[in-house]
Amino acid sequence: MNTTALPARTEVAIVGAGPAGLALAVTLAASGIDFVVLDKLAEGANTSRAAVVHARTLEVLDELGASEELIARGIKVTRFAVRDGARRLLTVPFDKLPTPHPYTLMVPQYETESVLLDRLRALGGDVHRPHEVTSVVQDEEGVTLTTSTGQTLRAGYAVGTDGMHSTVREASGIGFTGNAYAESFVLADVVMDWAPGPIEVSLTFGVAGLTVVAPLPNNHYRVVATVNAAPETPDLAFVQQLLDERAPGQAKVTGLAWSSRFRVHHRVADHYRAGRVLLAGDAAHVHSPAGGQGMNTGIQDGYALGQAFATGQLDGYEARRRPIAQRVVAFTDRMTRIATTRNSFARGARNIVLPLLGHTGLPKKLATELAELNYR
């Protein structure tokens, strides 16, 4: 933890030290631009929200000098399997994609943050903790940030990478248009015997909702599922029952590392810039976890914004990144609605059509979209 006093001034103040904020900081550090990263937590989170790092993000991490270490900490998965119960409907392959990383890397978010922080420190930077920003006021000359302890930081620009409930976004007056899904989501990291094994990510459709099971390092699995009414902290028995109902006979849960319940929104900021205030990551866009796009889009935001600062092309940042967020939100929303439909006719049609589409160019198209290679 860096408890040193805040400097009086910097060129770029980054509020939030998640993946997007760290990617921005590393990009600025590599470009020699002065910055300060502030985060309200005393230390980085040690729980695992996002767990998927797609090919385009790995290409960005190549540029930042952070991919090799992250790859060493993760598991490479070359396909997603779409199922209805135990029946396989479609396989989405990643191993033929035109990229140096023809796979999806499964790795807990705290590892991604750890690798980015190590890279930032190697470049001479760090995160200032704990500093909760409570006020962001801009004028023609710059931005003044005030923390909960009354400290102030003067910056040329302020960037909100402080999540869905962004203080920076709210202070800027930028709207956050969208809605919440009716269902809640359960997230759990477990140790279990899983019949499909650790070679693929399984997206399972069902009347009860969408269930995703993905391998993680150290023989763990990530389980994400839509649930009408879930306990705040699902226990092992709850996760076992959920999998028994949705993937009968395929899972035996023997350990629970951690779990959570959360609501999911699909929203995009009305703008990515208001004067000297800019947004990236979850402060700019949130959406369904289907496909694991969120952290990836955020890291790419951070890199793109850092390059925009380095090249003096800030005016082009929103035009470049906001349409991508709109596309990701629309894509993940379609995936979620297709997966969670309770209309019996729609489910039947879906389960007939998807296997047929497996013999077309759709699987490769889906893999390219999920890998975010269209966003280069």
Side-chain angles (χ1 to χ4, degrees):
M1 180 176 68
N2 185 349
T3 57
T4 57
L6 291 176
R9 180 174 175 83
T10 189
E11 180 60 22
V12 182
I14 304 168
V15 183
L22 290 171
L24 170 57
V26 170
T27 308
L28 294 177
S31 301
I33 296 173
D34 188 53
F35 65 92
V36 170
V37 186
L38 308 91
D39 196 277
K40 65 182 180 181
L41 298 178
E43 58 183 27
N46 59 8
T47 53
S48 175
R49 290 288 180 180
V52 181
V53 181
H54 284 300
R56 175 55 191 155
T57 305
L58 289 170
E59 292 177 354
V60 166
L61 295 175
D62 285 343
E63 297 294 323
L64 297 180
S67 61
E68 185 175 348
E69 176 60 28
L70 187 62
I71 292 167
R73 300 188 190 191
I75 295 176
K76 296 178 182 179
V77 175
T78 57
R79 67 183 188 229
F80 280 20
V82 180
R83 294 185 171 86
D84 186 286
R87 179 190 172 201
R88 183 186 291 264
L89 301 176
L90 186 70
T91 299
V92 180
F94 294 91
D95 54 350
K96 298 293 193 296
L97 291 176
T99 171
H101 305 286
Y103 51 84
T104 289
L105 187 72
M106 301 304 305
V107 62
Q109 180 174 326
Y110 62 81
E111 295 283 15
T112 302
E113 293 182 8
S114 173
V115 168
L116 283 169
L117 181 58
D118 286 348
R119 180 62 183 146
L120 179 60
R121 287 171 173 164
L123 292 168
D126 211 332
V127 176
H128 292 262
R129 305 178 182 272
H131 292 287
E132 181 177 4
V133 173
T134 55
S135 172
V136 180
V137 179
Q138 65 171 310
D139 53 49
E140 291 184 1
E141 304 298 326
V143 186
T144 301
L145 299 91
T146 306
T147 71
S148 57
T149 58
Q151 297 181 75
T152 61
L153 171 65
R154 184 70 174 166
Y157 296 88
V159 180
T161 56
D162 49 341
M164 186 177 82
H165 303 290
S166 170
T167 298
V168 177
R169 187 190 63 244
E170 292 177 3
S172 73
I174 296 174
F176 203 33
T177 302
N179 291 290
Y181 289 102
E183 305 92 345
S184 60
F185 281 73
V186 165
L187 188 153
D189 286 355
V190 301
V191 180
M192 68 178 176
D193 296 321
W194 173 242
I199 60 173
E200 65 185 27
V201 175
S202 297
L203 293 83
T204 302
F205 301 158
V207 176
L210 170 68
T211 308
V212 179
V213 178
L216 288 175
N218 303 316
N219 298 314
H220 283 68
Y221 287 88
R222 160 66 50 82
V223 178
V224 182
T226 55
V227 179
N228 280 339
E232 185 174 347
T233 306
D235 60 15
L236 188 152
F238 181 90
V239 178
Q240 181 67 67
Q241 180 181 353
L242 185 148
L243 292 171
D244 285 345
E245 292 171 351
R246 303 187 183 192
Q250 296 190 74
K252 180 175 176 53
V253 183
T254 57
L256 177 68
W258 81 285
S259 66
S260 178
R261 175 193 66 191
F262 59 99
R263 292 293 299 278
V264 172
H265 294 245
H266 47 107
R267 300 179 184 274
V268 179
D270 295 346
H271 296 284
Y272 276 25
R273 182 181 182 184
R276 291 179 172 272
V277 175
L278 300 105
L279 305 175
D282 286 356
H285 48 78
V286 292
H287 43 82
S288 166
Q293 308 299 120
M295 181 181 71
N296 290 272
T297 309
I299 288 173
Q300 293 168 47
D301 285 344
Y303 176 65
L305 182 53
Q307 288 194 314
F309 273 114
T311 58
Q313 297 178 342
L314 281 180
D315 288 342
Y317 169 65
E318 177 177 328
R320 180 179 173 190
R321 293 302 303 174
R322 189 169 181 272
I324 291 172
Q326 291 176 307
R327 180 169 171 172
V328 169
V329 169
F331 175 59
T332 57
D333 184 57
R334 285 195 301 272
M335 287 180 64
T336 302
R337 295 189 186 282
I338 290 170
T340 59
T341 181
R342 297 186 178 173
N343 180 291
S344 59
F345 176 79
R347 288 201 312 272
R350 175 196 69 196
N351 293 354
I352 291 170
V353 169
L354 281 180
L356 297 176
L357 292 176
H359 301 289
T360 69
L362 179 68
K364 183 177 180 180
K365 184 177 179 180
L366 282 175
T368 303
E369 188 73 20
L370 287 165
E372 301 199 345
L373 295 180
N374 294 320
Y375 307 153
R376 286 177 172 141

